[in-house]
Amino acid sequence: MSGVDPRYVINRISSALIRQDLQCINALDVLRALKDGLDQHPSITKEEREKYLNFISIARKEYDTLAKKEVQKAFVYSFEESARTLFDNYLDNVEAYCNWMKIKDPLTGEELDPDERLMRSIEEQIGISENAKKRSAKKY
């Protein structure tokens, strides 16, 4: 058997809790506490210290990769929902504009004219010119 004494690991986790005065800690706190304590561990040789620092570095990179993936997933789901809502709102406004109708505000129930600024901002993003917009509206 080889490696760091499990008691050392438990002591380092405890020191992370005490030092930061928290009720819980995360993976980065544990890795940081392990790294900081290697210098103070009397039975670890210089070669073992380097090996353990390398393991900690690998663990940190793996944690960073997992964290980035989780953040990206959360962002994509949030963006998808926002994009769908914006798209539905745009279509409702375009339909009302083309049919000379008003839109009912979902919060107040008030009838409003179609939001031309919203429609125009989206149309500019997808490359629809002002003239193309007017030609499409005349067809309906």
Side-chain angles (χ1 to χ4, degrees):
M1 293 179 36
S2 64
V4 177
D5 179 12
R7 186 175 296 159
Y8 164 78
V9 174
I10 291 170
N11 287 340
R12 295 310 306 161
I13 293 171
S14 295
S15 72
L17 275 168
I18 293 168
R19 183 181 65 213
Q20 296 186 9
D21 194 32
L22 300 172
Q23 293 179 358
C24 65
I25 56 176
N26 63 37
L28 295 178
D29 296 326
V30 172
L31 291 174
R32 193 174 301 117
L34 289 170
K35 181 180 176 186
D36 293 345
L38 285 176
D39 291 332
Q40 301 163 5
H41 198 290
S43 65
I44 294 178
T45 65
K46 185 176 182 178
E47 293 80 26
E48 288 176 322
R49 182 182 179 281
E50 291 303 315
K51 181 172 79 170
Y52 297 145
L53 286 173
N54 188 40
F55 289 155
I56 291 171
S57 175
I58 291 169
R60 172 64 194 258
K61 288 176 186 173
E62 183 68 23
Y63 180 82
D64 288 349
T65 301
L66 291 172
K68 285 177 187 175
K69 285 181 183 177
E70 290 301 315
V71 169
Q72 287 171 344
K73 275 196 261 182
F75 179 73
V76 167
Y77 293 136
S78 175
F79 176 76
E80 184 178 335
E81 184 178 320
S82 296
R84 184 171 309 282
T85 301
L86 182 61
F87 180 68
D88 290 343
N89 192 11
Y90 170 75
L91 290 179
D92 290 344
N93 276 276
V94 167
E95 182 180 4
Y97 180 84
C98 290
N99 293 325
W100 299 93
M101 297 173 57
K102 297 208 179 256
I103 291 183
K104 189 173 186 177
D105 186 304
L107 298 176
T108 64
E110 180 182 6
E111 291 207 355
L112 305 169
D113 289 327
D115 188 347
E116 290 195 47
R117 283 194 338 221
L118 167 75
M119 292 185 291
R120 195 67 216 126
S121 69
I122 293 172
E123 289 162 354
E124 286 171 352
Q125 295 297 315
I126 59 175
I128 297 176
S129 69
E130 186 70 30
N131 289 335
K133 175 194 92 163
K134 289 177 183 176
R135 281 195 310 268
S136 295
K138 287 180 182 178
K139 290 180 185 178
Y140 295 101

